Amino acid sequence: MKKFVNIFALIFCFMFSGFAMAKDASDEIKYLKKVQVNDETIVTIAGVINYVCPKLVKNASKLCNKKDPVGSAVAFQKQLLGKGTIEDLDDLDDDDLKKTLKKRKILHKEGAMQFYDAVEQFKKHFAPRKKAKAFALKSKWKEASLHEEMAWQYLVKCASRGIFAKKMVDGE
Amino acid sequence: MLNFILRKRQLGLALLVSLLAFSGSAETLKEVAKKRGLTDKDLLAAAKTYTPSGKKDEYLVFSSGGQAGQLIVYGVPSMRLLKYIGVFTPEPWSGYGYGEVEGMHRLKEGMIRGTKITWGDTHHPALSETNGDYDGQFVFINDKANPRVAVIDLKTFETVQIVVNPIFKSEHGSSVVTPNTEYAMEAAQYPAPYSNKYVALTQKNFNEIYRGGITYWKFNREKGRLMPKQSFTVELPPYMQDITDAGKLISDGWSFTNSINTERYIGGFGNGNTHLKHKLANEAGMSAKDTDYMHIVNWRKAEKLFKAGKFKKINGHAVISMKDMVKANALFLLPESKSPHGCDVSPDGRYIIVAGKLDTHATVYDFKKIKRLIDKKDFAGKDPYGIPILDMQKSIHKQVQLGLGPLHSQFDKEKGIVYTSLYVDSAVARWDYLKGKLLEKLPIHYNIGHLVTAEGDTVNPDGKYLIALNKLAIDRFNQVGPLHPQNHQLIDIKGKKPMSLLYDMPLPLGEPHYAQMIKADKLKPVIRYKKRSFKNYVRPGKERVERKGNKVTIHSTAIRSHYSPEVISIKKGDHVTWHITNVERAQDQTHGFTVDTYNLHASIEPGETVTLKFVATKSGVFPFYCTEFCSALHLEMSGYLLVK
């Protein structure tokens, strides 16, 4: 179970050291390295989703699909929100929130809310990554590198929330 | 054979290694106790208070922060500190009083005669009540030094109102609430003229112009605010009114207030007095008589007089005269041991316990007897202001000798059991106020003032724990200079066992004064703010800087790990209004905000919009940044305010 946390720790070390090594590299190399780091981080995040998702919902076999972790995460968010918004859940007091989540077959209130936030952060990385790719296609490496960097920031935030969610569902 | 011997040796070696490893890594409870010199009693106390990580406390304590002007929140039995709430004093972490308009407005509300006062002498917190039980919605606290009362909303644990008493110059018997929080009461302390004019301190003026009083602040629960226009003061003689309690159940509608210096003595001791040099010190003359007076007020009748317009306005505030109160049979005096302190109404509302302070006794008054005397108009006399005096002996249920310096009392779940602090003895007395019998005394360390039991001043005390609120611990903790920490001592009062001391908690703030202990599950605070409830909410994508003349309004958002906008140019002399919305929803994603040199700080909780106002009086380059470690890229969450 601690494997994922360790993987995160390794990835953070790798990411930070990679960043330091890339200091004098060209923008193109920086961009390509960051793409690699981000791809690997996404693989790790997918692992966390596959680990946490079945512990958060009652109908895990229907909702959590190991072959499609991002789809699982989005499906989890839909189940959490029902027909409402996250603000609707935020407006509930604690007892009502517990009742609502129980009705929606959510198993772990705190873990679920952290996981929701992790997924929100993850979703934010798509836009800068898309822009980074577009700049890369035009060989605008500095802009591509900056946007890929921004995507990485969101992945880091996703990772930190994902670790919280995992700790909570595991009762660590 | 050799192989067998070798194998045996290897096995023995392996066993020895594992034994050594085991003894080195896993200490037993006995070993730890021996190393640290802990007794079985200590271990039992630790087991009763230790709260493992992630486990919550059964009770929360709201404790006065004394001269720090704050309110302190901690858990019981763990004694873990949870929060300091800025009330009369700016609080830097939350940004209360550092440019953020809400906090600035609160502190401005507390201005007296145009003077901004940035400290307070908080004494007595009072949790709001429904039918005499804590309801966990609000807490009130007073400022003795600058007569004020504050309201803290327990949804947010933030100060939402400060009201200034328009006629008092000091107070003490506050805050106390009536059983359904109809009123928060505030009794004056040092008599003074109601007006703000100079009145020479002569005995004649003191007797005729200087006054005491009790203010009944009307509370509107829906609005969560005290209503000054619906509030009134009952005029009282220039005795020093002191600790106050509200009646409950059979005594509902009445309030009881101790007093000192019913001698109306004015001292003048020592060199340097500008006049009255011939007199002895206050303390000599103020304790000359054997008795002082408990003031008994029928506040429901006072309320009727107020509603009937029987009052005069002083400094814009309604004051009901002693004369009208006496005429309405709504004000009485009852002798009590001289210079008393605590005045505590029993859970059933029938008994009022007054602790002697200079007497070794506590006196238990019976409200039924008091009421009978009032109804029959059986009075022992009148004071110089025409207020009827009840007969002390005819009002007493019991008098019990407890020890030296009895001060305050709190009640147990068990009927008739009460705990009283003994200041001079440095002890807590457990006794039976119905039978009039002292049961037990426990030494504490030292200088106990108030004490608190779980829900111990409500109609349903919970017992279990008592905290002795001790002043200036002289030998309990490591030395930290000549000003000692306060000591909140947790005591186990469960069952019929002897009381036992569990834990010492030092608090490096002001004198603890009073505290109240509420069941934690009664509190329902919000976890995060509702973004849409803030009128200046800045939606992501709508960030902007607007200018109208020299008025600049900045609409910002904050999210891990950036502010938008990040670079803002303005001109010297601009009046800046800066709205910042924390657009996060994760409950621990608080962002701080500060701008170099301008003495600004805000703590922006998820969903919250804060507004800071300041005038750009200095030109230059001013970095701003997030002061909470909000994310891995926290240090990068920054920007520049450029003032041309």
PDB file of all heavy atoms in Angstrom, chain A residues 86-87 90-91 94-95 110 113 116-117 121 124 153 157 161 164, chain B residues 524 527-528 530 532 559-562 585-589 633:
ATOM      1  N   ILE A  86     -20.593  21.059  -6.845  1.00  0.00           N
ATOM      2  CA  ILE A  86     -19.753  20.918  -5.650  1.00  0.00           C
ATOM      3  C   ILE A  86     -20.120  21.993  -4.622  1.00  0.00           C
ATOM      4  O   ILE A  86     -20.053  21.765  -3.422  1.00  0.00           O
ATOM      5  CB  ILE A  86     -18.253  20.946  -6.012  1.00  0.00           C
ATOM      6  CG1 ILE A  86     -17.398  20.501  -4.821  1.00  0.00           C
ATOM      7  CG2 ILE A  86     -17.811  22.306  -6.533  1.00  0.00           C
ATOM      8  CD1 ILE A  86     -17.548  19.067  -4.422  1.00  0.00           C
ATOM      9  N   GLU A  87     -20.555  23.169  -5.129  1.00  0.00           N
ATOM     10  CA  GLU A  87     -20.972  24.237  -4.198  1.00  0.00           C
ATOM     11  C   GLU A  87     -22.179  23.792  -3.372  1.00  0.00           C
ATOM     12  O   GLU A  87     -22.292  24.139  -2.199  1.00  0.00           O
ATOM     13  CB  GLU A  87     -21.307  25.533  -4.955  1.00  0.00           C
ATOM     14  CG  GLU A  87     -20.106  26.362  -5.373  1.00  0.00           C
ATOM     15  CD  GLU A  87     -19.450  25.854  -6.638  1.00  0.00           C
ATOM     16  OE1 GLU A  87     -20.045  24.967  -7.311  1.00  0.00           O
ATOM     17  OE2 GLU A  87     -18.332  26.322  -6.957  1.00  0.00           O
ATOM     18  N   ASP A  90     -20.786  21.805  -0.693  1.00  0.00           N
ATOM     19  CA  ASP A  90     -20.076  22.685   0.242  1.00  0.00           C
ATOM     20  C   ASP A  90     -21.037  23.420   1.165  1.00  0.00           C
ATOM     21  O   ASP A  90     -20.688  23.763   2.300  1.00  0.00           O
ATOM     22  CB  ASP A  90     -19.233  23.723  -0.519  1.00  0.00           C
ATOM     23  CG  ASP A  90     -18.028  23.076  -1.191  1.00  0.00           C
ATOM     24  OD1 ASP A  90     -17.726  21.909  -0.866  1.00  0.00           O
ATOM     25  OD2 ASP A  90     -17.402  23.733  -2.036  1.00  0.00           O
ATOM     26  N   ASP A  91     -22.235  23.678   0.664  1.00  0.00           N
ATOM     27  CA  ASP A  91     -23.206  24.433   1.459  1.00  0.00           C
ATOM     28  C   ASP A  91     -23.851  23.587   2.560  1.00  0.00           C
ATOM     29  O   ASP A  91     -24.516  24.124   3.440  1.00  0.00           O
ATOM     30  CB  ASP A  91     -24.317  25.003   0.551  1.00  0.00           C
ATOM     31  CG  ASP A  91     -23.788  26.161  -0.289  1.00  0.00           C
ATOM     32  OD1 ASP A  91     -22.639  26.563  -0.060  1.00  0.00           O
ATOM     33  OD2 ASP A  91     -24.515  26.633  -1.183  1.00  0.00           O
ATOM     34  N   ASP A  94     -22.142  19.315   8.135  1.00  0.00           N
ATOM     35  CA  ASP A  94     -21.442  18.030   8.129  1.00  0.00           C
ATOM     36  C   ASP A  94     -22.396  16.829   8.165  1.00  0.00           C
ATOM     37  O   ASP A  94     -22.209  15.861   7.424  1.00  0.00           O
ATOM     38  CB  ASP A  94     -20.470  18.001   9.317  1.00  0.00           C
ATOM     39  CG  ASP A  94     -19.290  17.116   9.020  1.00  0.00           C
ATOM     40  OD1 ASP A  94     -18.787  17.171   7.886  1.00  0.00           O
ATOM     41  OD2 ASP A  94     -18.904  16.344   9.903  1.00  0.00           O
ATOM     42  N   ASP A  95     -23.419  16.913   9.021  1.00  0.00           N
ATOM     43  CA  ASP A  95     -24.348  15.780   9.148  1.00  0.00           C
ATOM     44  C   ASP A  95     -25.109  15.539   7.848  1.00  0.00           C
ATOM     45  O   ASP A  95     -25.289  14.397   7.412  1.00  0.00           O
ATOM     46  CB  ASP A  95     -25.347  16.041  10.291  1.00  0.00           C
ATOM     47  CG  ASP A  95     -24.659  15.976  11.642  1.00  0.00           C
ATOM     48  OD1 ASP A  95     -23.550  15.407  11.697  1.00  0.00           O
ATOM     49  OD2 ASP A  95     -25.213  16.500  12.625  1.00  0.00           O
ATOM     50  N   GLU A 110     -14.341  12.111   3.899  1.00  0.00           N
ATOM     51  CA  GLU A 110     -13.134  12.948   3.814  1.00  0.00           C
ATOM     52  C   GLU A 110     -12.291  12.556   2.602  1.00  0.00           C
ATOM     53  O   GLU A 110     -11.816  13.407   1.848  1.00  0.00           O
ATOM     54  CB  GLU A 110     -12.306  12.824   5.102  1.00  0.00           C
ATOM     55  CG  GLU A 110     -13.008  13.319   6.354  1.00  0.00           C
ATOM     56  CD  GLU A 110     -13.342  14.796   6.315  1.00  0.00           C
ATOM     57  OE1 GLU A 110     -12.701  15.545   5.553  1.00  0.00           O
ATOM     58  OE2 GLU A 110     -14.276  15.216   7.020  1.00  0.00           O
ATOM     59  N   MET A 113     -13.835  13.770  -0.661  1.00  0.00           N
ATOM     60  CA  MET A 113     -13.708  15.203  -0.945  1.00  0.00           C
ATOM     61  C   MET A 113     -12.280  15.538  -1.396  1.00  0.00           C
ATOM     62  O   MET A 113     -12.063  16.367  -2.286  1.00  0.00           O
ATOM     63  CB  MET A 113     -14.103  16.051   0.275  1.00  0.00           C
ATOM     64  CG  MET A 113     -15.553  15.853   0.723  1.00  0.00           C
ATOM     65  SD  MET A 113     -16.788  15.930  -0.593  1.00  0.00           S
ATOM     66  CE  MET A 113     -17.117  17.673  -0.678  1.00  0.00           C
ATOM     67  N   TYR A 116     -11.947  14.229  -4.959  1.00  0.00           N
ATOM     68  CA  TYR A 116     -12.624  15.142  -5.890  1.00  0.00           C
ATOM     69  C   TYR A 116     -11.685  16.287  -6.263  1.00  0.00           C
ATOM     70  O   TYR A 116     -11.528  16.635  -7.438  1.00  0.00           O
ATOM     71  CB  TYR A 116     -13.901  15.704  -5.247  1.00  0.00           C
ATOM     72  CG  TYR A 116     -14.595  16.714  -6.126  1.00  0.00           C
ATOM     73  CD1 TYR A 116     -15.577  16.323  -7.030  1.00  0.00           C
ATOM     74  CD2 TYR A 116     -14.251  18.079  -6.071  1.00  0.00           C
ATOM     75  CE1 TYR A 116     -16.189  17.246  -7.868  1.00  0.00           C
ATOM     76  CE2 TYR A 116     -14.856  18.999  -6.901  1.00  0.00           C
ATOM     77  CZ  TYR A 116     -15.824  18.581  -7.794  1.00  0.00           C
ATOM     78  OH  TYR A 116     -16.420  19.491  -8.626  1.00  0.00           O
ATOM     79  N   ASP A 117     -11.049  16.846  -5.237  1.00  0.00           N
ATOM     80  CA  ASP A 117     -10.147  17.984  -5.484  1.00  0.00           C
ATOM     81  C   ASP A 117      -8.934  17.563  -6.310  1.00  0.00           C
ATOM     82  O   ASP A 117      -8.488  18.308  -7.194  1.00  0.00           O
ATOM     83  CB  ASP A 117      -9.697  18.582  -4.148  1.00  0.00           C
ATOM     84  CG  ASP A 117      -9.062  19.935  -4.348  1.00  0.00           C
ATOM     85  OD1 ASP A 117      -9.723  20.809  -4.933  1.00  0.00           O
ATOM     86  OD2 ASP A 117      -7.889  20.107  -3.956  1.00  0.00           O
ATOM     87  N   GLN A 121      -7.784  19.147  -9.942  1.00  0.00           N
ATOM     88  CA  GLN A 121      -6.440  19.620 -10.286  1.00  0.00           C
ATOM     89  C   GLN A 121      -5.939  18.894 -11.545  1.00  0.00           C
ATOM     90  O   GLN A 121      -5.330  19.498 -12.427  1.00  0.00           O
ATOM     91  CB  GLN A 121      -5.456  19.387  -9.132  1.00  0.00           C
ATOM     92  CG  GLN A 121      -5.788  20.148  -7.858  1.00  0.00           C
ATOM     93  CD  GLN A 121      -5.742  21.652  -8.038  1.00  0.00           C
ATOM     94  OE1 GLN A 121      -4.925  22.174  -8.800  1.00  0.00           O
ATOM     95  NE2 GLN A 121      -6.633  22.359  -7.376  1.00  0.00           N
ATOM     96  N   LYS A 124      -7.226  20.248 -14.739  1.00  0.00           N
ATOM     97  CA  LYS A 124      -6.656  21.542 -15.145  1.00  0.00           C
ATOM     98  C   LYS A 124      -5.381  21.388 -15.965  1.00  0.00           C
ATOM     99  O   LYS A 124      -4.952  22.334 -16.614  1.00  0.00           O
ATOM    100  CB  LYS A 124      -6.362  22.385 -13.897  1.00  0.00           C
ATOM    101  CG  LYS A 124      -7.614  22.961 -13.267  1.00  0.00           C
ATOM    102  CD  LYS A 124      -7.261  23.797 -12.077  1.00  0.00           C
ATOM    103  CE  LYS A 124      -8.521  24.300 -11.391  1.00  0.00           C
ATOM    104  NZ  LYS A 124      -8.241  24.932 -10.134  1.00  0.00           N
ATOM    105  N   GLN A 153       2.690  21.635 -12.832  1.00  0.00           N
ATOM    106  CA  GLN A 153       2.251  22.205 -11.541  1.00  0.00           C
ATOM    107  C   GLN A 153       0.914  21.585 -11.122  1.00  0.00           C
ATOM    108  O   GLN A 153       0.700  21.250  -9.963  1.00  0.00           O
ATOM    109  CB  GLN A 153       2.087  23.723 -11.638  1.00  0.00           C
ATOM    110  CG  GLN A 153       3.343  24.495 -11.974  1.00  0.00           C
ATOM    111  CD  GLN A 153       4.406  24.385 -10.902  1.00  0.00           C
ATOM    112  OE1 GLN A 153       4.127  23.948  -9.797  1.00  0.00           O
ATOM    113  NE2 GLN A 153       5.635  24.732 -11.260  1.00  0.00           N
ATOM    114  N   LYS A 157      -0.064  19.219  -7.854  1.00  0.00           N
ATOM    115  CA  LYS A 157      -1.166  19.510  -6.927  1.00  0.00           C
ATOM    116  C   LYS A 157      -2.130  18.329  -6.852  1.00  0.00           C
ATOM    117  O   LYS A 157      -2.646  18.006  -5.781  1.00  0.00           O
ATOM    118  CB  LYS A 157      -1.895  20.775  -7.378  1.00  0.00           C
ATOM    119  CG  LYS A 157      -1.078  22.031  -7.113  1.00  0.00           C
ATOM    120  CD  LYS A 157      -1.556  23.192  -7.951  1.00  0.00           C
ATOM    121  CE  LYS A 157      -0.493  24.288  -7.935  1.00  0.00           C
ATOM    122  NZ  LYS A 157      -0.694  25.258  -9.007  1.00  0.00           N
ATOM    123  N   ARG A 161      -2.929  16.033  -3.384  1.00  0.00           N
ATOM    124  CA  ARG A 161      -4.297  15.743  -2.907  1.00  0.00           C
ATOM    125  C   ARG A 161      -4.587  14.238  -2.959  1.00  0.00           C
ATOM    126  O   ARG A 161      -5.284  13.697  -2.108  1.00  0.00           O
ATOM    127  CB  ARG A 161      -5.320  16.472  -3.772  1.00  0.00           C
ATOM    128  CG  ARG A 161      -5.388  17.933  -3.501  1.00  0.00           C
ATOM    129  CD  ARG A 161      -6.021  18.190  -2.161  1.00  0.00           C
ATOM    130  NE  ARG A 161      -5.230  19.172  -1.450  1.00  0.00           N
ATOM    131  CZ  ARG A 161      -5.470  19.603  -0.230  1.00  0.00           C
ATOM    132  NH1 ARG A 161      -6.494  19.134   0.446  1.00  0.00           N
ATOM    133  NH2 ARG A 161      -4.696  20.474   0.339  1.00  0.00           N
ATOM    134  N   PHE A 164      -3.269  12.589   0.019  1.00  0.00           N
ATOM    135  CA  PHE A 164      -4.162  12.835   1.172  1.00  0.00           C
ATOM    136  C   PHE A 164      -5.329  11.835   1.143  1.00  0.00           C
ATOM    137  O   PHE A 164      -5.673  11.227   2.152  1.00  0.00           O
ATOM    138  CB  PHE A 164      -4.763  14.247   1.113  1.00  0.00           C
ATOM    139  CG  PHE A 164      -3.862  15.336   1.597  1.00  0.00           C
ATOM    140  CD1 PHE A 164      -2.501  15.139   1.717  1.00  0.00           C
ATOM    141  CD2 PHE A 164      -4.374  16.584   1.925  1.00  0.00           C
ATOM    142  CE1 PHE A 164      -1.669  16.159   2.156  1.00  0.00           C
ATOM    143  CE2 PHE A 164      -3.561  17.607   2.366  1.00  0.00           C
ATOM    144  CZ  PHE A 164      -2.202  17.398   2.472  1.00  0.00           C
TER     145      PHE A 164
ATOM    146  N   LYS B 524     -21.437  23.252  15.565  1.00  0.00           N
ATOM    147  CA  LYS B 524     -21.586  22.914  14.144  1.00  0.00           C
ATOM    148  C   LYS B 524     -20.938  24.003  13.289  1.00  0.00           C
ATOM    149  O   LYS B 524     -21.612  24.723  12.558  1.00  0.00           O
ATOM    150  CB  LYS B 524     -23.078  22.787  13.762  1.00  0.00           C
ATOM    151  CG  LYS B 524     -23.887  21.828  14.629  1.00  0.00           C
ATOM    152  CD  LYS B 524     -23.625  20.384  14.275  1.00  0.00           C
ATOM    153  CE  LYS B 524     -24.452  19.466  15.183  1.00  0.00           C
ATOM    154  NZ  LYS B 524     -23.915  18.106  15.248  1.00  0.00           N
ATOM    155  N   ILE B 527     -17.311  24.366   7.493  1.00  0.00           N
ATOM    156  CA  ILE B 527     -15.981  23.861   7.106  1.00  0.00           C
ATOM    157  C   ILE B 527     -15.338  24.838   6.132  1.00  0.00           C
ATOM    158  O   ILE B 527     -14.139  25.052   6.148  1.00  0.00           O
ATOM    159  CB  ILE B 527     -16.107  22.455   6.497  1.00  0.00           C
ATOM    160  CG1 ILE B 527     -16.548  21.481   7.599  1.00  0.00           C
ATOM    161  CG2 ILE B 527     -14.781  21.994   5.886  1.00  0.00           C
ATOM    162  CD1 ILE B 527     -16.937  20.118   7.120  1.00  0.00           C
ATOM    163  N   ARG B 528     -16.168  25.413   5.270  1.00  0.00           N
ATOM    164  CA  ARG B 528     -15.618  26.400   4.342  1.00  0.00           C
ATOM    165  C   ARG B 528     -16.685  27.452   4.039  1.00  0.00           C
ATOM    166  O   ARG B 528     -17.872  27.220   4.273  1.00  0.00           O
ATOM    167  CB  ARG B 528     -15.130  25.770   3.041  1.00  0.00           C
ATOM    168  CG  ARG B 528     -16.207  25.166   2.185  1.00  0.00           C
ATOM    169  CD  ARG B 528     -15.639  24.595   0.923  1.00  0.00           C
ATOM    170  NE  ARG B 528     -14.836  23.412   1.186  1.00  0.00           N
ATOM    171  CZ  ARG B 528     -15.347  22.217   1.489  1.00  0.00           C
ATOM    172  NH1 ARG B 528     -16.645  22.053   1.561  1.00  0.00           N
ATOM    173  NH2 ARG B 528     -14.569  21.185   1.707  1.00  0.00           N
ATOM    174  N   LYS B 530     -19.063  29.985   1.803  1.00  0.00           N
ATOM    175  CA  LYS B 530     -19.793  29.882   0.542  1.00  0.00           C
ATOM    176  C   LYS B 530     -19.377  31.059  -0.324  1.00  0.00           C
ATOM    177  O   LYS B 530     -19.642  32.212   0.031  1.00  0.00           O
ATOM    178  CB  LYS B 530     -21.298  29.936   0.809  1.00  0.00           C
ATOM    179  CG  LYS B 530     -21.765  28.775   1.662  1.00  0.00           C
ATOM    180  CD  LYS B 530     -23.213  28.958   2.091  1.00  0.00           C
ATOM    181  CE  LYS B 530     -23.593  27.828   3.041  1.00  0.00           C
ATOM    182  NZ  LYS B 530     -24.966  27.965   3.547  1.00  0.00           N
ATOM    183  N   ARG B 532     -20.447  32.362  -2.951  1.00  0.00           N
ATOM    184  CA  ARG B 532     -21.478  33.275  -3.448  1.00  0.00           C
ATOM    185  C   ARG B 532     -22.046  34.187  -2.376  1.00  0.00           C
ATOM    186  O   ARG B 532     -22.800  35.094  -2.668  1.00  0.00           O
ATOM    187  CB  ARG B 532     -22.583  32.449  -4.112  1.00  0.00           C
ATOM    188  CG  ARG B 532     -22.111  31.751  -5.383  1.00  0.00           C
ATOM    189  CD  ARG B 532     -23.113  30.761  -5.916  1.00  0.00           C
ATOM    190  NE  ARG B 532     -23.202  29.550  -5.108  1.00  0.00           N
ATOM    191  CZ  ARG B 532     -23.771  28.416  -5.513  1.00  0.00           C
ATOM    192  NH1 ARG B 532     -24.303  28.345  -6.727  1.00  0.00           N
ATOM    193  NH2 ARG B 532     -23.821  27.363  -4.739  1.00  0.00           N
ATOM    194  N   ILE B 559      -5.291  31.108  -5.967  1.00  0.00           N
ATOM    195  CA  ILE B 559      -5.424  29.653  -6.105  1.00  0.00           C
ATOM    196  C   ILE B 559      -4.019  29.075  -6.112  1.00  0.00           C
ATOM    197  O   ILE B 559      -3.062  29.783  -6.476  1.00  0.00           O
ATOM    198  CB  ILE B 559      -6.209  29.299  -7.410  1.00  0.00           C
ATOM    199  CG1 ILE B 559      -6.622  27.832  -7.383  1.00  0.00           C
ATOM    200  CG2 ILE B 559      -5.432  29.643  -8.671  1.00  0.00           C
ATOM    201  CD1 ILE B 559      -7.697  27.482  -8.418  1.00  0.00           C
ATOM    202  N   ARG B 560      -3.857  27.797  -5.663  1.00  0.00           N
ATOM    203  CA  ARG B 560      -2.527  27.187  -5.736  1.00  0.00           C
ATOM    204  C   ARG B 560      -1.952  27.338  -7.126  1.00  0.00           C
ATOM    205  O   ARG B 560      -2.548  26.870  -8.079  1.00  0.00           O
ATOM    206  CB  ARG B 560      -2.630  25.676  -5.451  1.00  0.00           C
ATOM    207  CG  ARG B 560      -2.758  25.305  -4.021  1.00  0.00           C
ATOM    208  CD  ARG B 560      -3.361  23.931  -3.888  1.00  0.00           C
ATOM    209  NE  ARG B 560      -4.782  23.962  -4.162  1.00  0.00           N
ATOM    210  CZ  ARG B 560      -5.534  22.855  -4.223  1.00  0.00           C
ATOM    211  NH1 ARG B 560      -4.995  21.676  -4.055  1.00  0.00           N
ATOM    212  NH2 ARG B 560      -6.820  22.935  -4.461  1.00  0.00           N
ATOM    213  N   SER B 561      -0.898  27.955  -7.431  1.00  0.00           N
ATOM    214  CA  SER B 561      -0.010  28.683  -6.575  1.00  0.00           C
ATOM    215  C   SER B 561       0.228  30.068  -7.203  1.00  0.00           C
ATOM    216  O   SER B 561       1.339  30.456  -7.502  1.00  0.00           O
ATOM    217  CB  SER B 561       1.333  27.952  -6.471  1.00  0.00           C
ATOM    218  OG  SER B 561       1.152  26.609  -6.124  1.00  0.00           O
ATOM    219  N   HIS B 562      -0.867  30.766  -7.451  1.00  0.00           N
ATOM    220  CA  HIS B 562      -0.692  32.119  -7.989  1.00  0.00           C
ATOM    221  C   HIS B 562      -1.877  33.033  -7.644  1.00  0.00           C
ATOM    222  O   HIS B 562      -2.991  32.569  -7.413  1.00  0.00           O
ATOM    223  CB  HIS B 562      -0.508  32.092  -9.507  1.00  0.00           C
ATOM    224  CG  HIS B 562      -1.591  31.382 -10.251  1.00  0.00           C
ATOM    225  ND1 HIS B 562      -1.513  30.051 -10.586  1.00  0.00           N
ATOM    226  CD2 HIS B 562      -2.792  31.813 -10.704  1.00  0.00           C
ATOM    227  CE1 HIS B 562      -2.610  29.701 -11.225  1.00  0.00           C
ATOM    228  NE2 HIS B 562      -3.397  30.746 -11.306  1.00  0.00           N
ATOM    229  N   ARG B 585     -11.529  25.076  -3.045  1.00  0.00           N
ATOM    230  CA  ARG B 585     -12.572  24.489  -2.209  1.00  0.00           C
ATOM    231  C   ARG B 585     -12.013  23.464  -1.222  1.00  0.00           C
ATOM    232  O   ARG B 585     -12.668  23.121  -0.239  1.00  0.00           O
ATOM    233  CB  ARG B 585     -13.704  23.894  -3.038  1.00  0.00           C
ATOM    234  CG  ARG B 585     -13.307  22.772  -3.946  1.00  0.00           C
ATOM    235  CD  ARG B 585     -14.462  21.903  -4.268  1.00  0.00           C
ATOM    236  NE  ARG B 585     -15.129  21.471  -3.060  1.00  0.00           N
ATOM    237  CZ  ARG B 585     -14.658  20.516  -2.263  1.00  0.00           C
ATOM    238  NH1 ARG B 585     -13.521  19.930  -2.523  1.00  0.00           N
ATOM    239  NH2 ARG B 585     -15.333  20.168  -1.191  1.00  0.00           N
ATOM    240  N   ALA B 586     -10.800  22.982  -1.460  1.00  0.00           N
ATOM    241  CA  ALA B 586     -10.208  22.051  -0.496  1.00  0.00           C
ATOM    242  C   ALA B 586     -10.047  22.787   0.829  1.00  0.00           C
ATOM    243  O   ALA B 586      -9.538  23.906   0.876  1.00  0.00           O
ATOM    244  CB  ALA B 586      -8.866  21.558  -1.005  1.00  0.00           C
ATOM    245  N   GLN B 587     -10.487  22.161   1.915  1.00  0.00           N
ATOM    246  CA  GLN B 587     -10.664  22.910   3.164  1.00  0.00           C
ATOM    247  C   GLN B 587      -9.379  23.418   3.789  1.00  0.00           C
ATOM    248  O   GLN B 587      -9.405  24.320   4.613  1.00  0.00           O
ATOM    249  CB  GLN B 587     -11.471  22.103   4.167  1.00  0.00           C
ATOM    250  CG  GLN B 587     -10.902  20.745   4.474  1.00  0.00           C
ATOM    251  CD  GLN B 587     -11.737  20.028   5.515  1.00  0.00           C
ATOM    252  OE1 GLN B 587     -11.768  20.412   6.657  1.00  0.00           O
ATOM    253  NE2 GLN B 587     -12.420  18.982   5.110  1.00  0.00           N
ATOM    254  N   ASP B 588      -8.240  22.856   3.416  1.00  0.00           N
ATOM    255  CA  ASP B 588      -6.984  23.334   4.009  1.00  0.00           C
ATOM    256  C   ASP B 588      -6.220  24.252   3.059  1.00  0.00           C
ATOM    257  O   ASP B 588      -5.055  24.544   3.290  1.00  0.00           O
ATOM    258  CB  ASP B 588      -6.103  22.165   4.442  1.00  0.00           C
ATOM    259  CG  ASP B 588      -5.781  21.226   3.292  1.00  0.00           C
ATOM    260  OD1 ASP B 588      -6.438  21.345   2.236  1.00  0.00           O
ATOM    261  OD2 ASP B 588      -4.880  20.388   3.434  1.00  0.00           O
ATOM    262  N   GLN B 589      -6.871  24.687   2.007  1.00  0.00           N
ATOM    263  CA  GLN B 589      -6.173  25.556   1.055  1.00  0.00           C
ATOM    264  C   GLN B 589      -6.369  27.033   1.387  1.00  0.00           C
ATOM    265  O   GLN B 589      -6.879  27.815   0.585  1.00  0.00           O
ATOM    266  CB  GLN B 589      -6.608  25.246  -0.376  1.00  0.00           C
ATOM    267  CG  GLN B 589      -5.928  23.986  -0.913  1.00  0.00           C
ATOM    268  CD  GLN B 589      -4.411  24.066  -0.866  1.00  0.00           C
ATOM    269  OE1 GLN B 589      -3.833  25.117  -1.091  1.00  0.00           O
ATOM    270  NE2 GLN B 589      -3.745  22.963  -0.532  1.00  0.00           N
ATOM    271  N   LEU B 633       4.586  24.887  -4.645  1.00  0.00           N
ATOM    272  CA  LEU B 633       5.049  26.110  -5.311  1.00  0.00           C
ATOM    273  C   LEU B 633       4.617  27.355  -4.540  1.00  0.00           C
ATOM    274  O   LEU B 633       4.391  28.418  -5.110  1.00  0.00           O
ATOM    275  CB  LEU B 633       4.508  26.156  -6.742  1.00  0.00           C
ATOM    276  CG  LEU B 633       5.386  25.517  -7.827  1.00  0.00           C
ATOM    277  CD1 LEU B 633       6.643  26.344  -8.070  1.00  0.00           C
ATOM    278  CD2 LEU B 633       5.784  24.105  -7.499  1.00  0.00           C
TER     279      LEU B 633
END
